Amino acid sequence: MALAGDSTDYSAIAGGARVEDYFALLKPRVMWLSVFTALIGMLLAPVGLNPVVGFIAILCIALGAGGSGALNMWFDADIDAVMSRTANRPIPAGRATRSEALGLGLVCSSFAVGILGLATNWVAAGLLAFTIFFYVVIYTMWLKRSTPQNIVIGGAAGAFPPMVGWAAATGDVTLVPVVLFLIIFLWTPPHFWALALYKQGDYGAAGIPMLPNVAGERATKVQIVLYTFALAASSIVPSLIGFTGWLYTGVAVLSGVGFIALSLRLFVTADNVKMKRSARTLFTYSLSYLFVIFLALMADHVAQLAGWM
Amino acid sequence: MAGPPVPTLRPPTPEELKRRRRNSIALGAILAILALIFYALTIAKMGPAVFNRDL
């Protein structure tokens, strides 16, 4: 297991990394989706939370996600340096050291879990702690470099936030947050494999066994299509169990059809340049898809509470 | 036996001093926010009756 050596460029980082680099270590662009889904999970819960407590809980979840990001950057500094997508991150670019990332990650994670437990309950805090552990130890340290199923299993880490948000409000986990978990869990493979398809060179250079590098493009496209169908099916489960109404159902069906259409277009595209463009489109769509689905969940919930449905 | 490189002892440059100052300010702000969080959380958990108590 190769670990990146600490930066010895003391002249560049004397005085510590800049505030902006510490913030970048938290992976803010990845953080926002976890925070958003956690917020929706919290707002969908049948038990209301004091707004101050709710705000602090979301802050803790954001901090926990940021801590995971910093720990991921600490461990993956060596492969980040090799990939064009990540070469400008603070550690490979020499703006921060691995020690700073490790310290930041551990402090943020500990405070996030501790304050969430004090603010809400220890079920939510335990789930957050497990999420961080799963992402850092199970996914980053173990699965990512050892199996092409890395993001399938490791993707569970990204699926926990709505469960944490729900648990923060209610103190327990029921069927609905598990369904929300399932939606994100099934969304993760097509999302990351679309990225892996148009960044094959990067992952190959870093030695990461992403599916396109191990099993080839065709096998990856087949898997993307299969997972997309599973995702579309899972997205209507909230309606099947009676949690949502026609508003969400309509959005879920339309969005799911769009996702399937793009995955099928990717599947039939043979030309390499067009395939990469198609993969990139699918990746971008997948980001919007999750946002729209969770927004629709919230809108449907509000409409039901207001008596409009 | 070769060990890790030892930083050269020299006075910090203006850029380094500026960076340390910014980092210190940021840390101070974070500590202040942390104190505010605990204060707000305590008030919130004590409930609205906290403002109606006998002093």
Side-chain angles (χ1 to χ4, degrees), chain B residues 2 7 10 13-15 19-20 29 34 37 39 42-43 45 47:
Chain B
R10 54 163 175 78
T13 65
E15 164 64 29
R19 189 180 299 170
R20 282 182 196 175
L34 196 61
I37 283 175
Y39 183 76
T42 306
I43 299 286
K45 283 190 161 294

Side-chain angles (χ1 to χ4, degrees), chain A residues 12 94 140:
Chain A
T140 302

Side-chain angles (χ1 to χ4, degrees), chain A residues 61 93-94 148 165 179 184-185 202 218 236 253 260 272 293 304 309:
Chain A
I61 293 169
V179 171
I184 301 177
F185 184 75
D202 257 8
R218 184 181 162 77
I236 60 171
V253 168
I260 291 171
N272 191 47
I293 284 289
Q304 288 193 52
M309 291 168 48

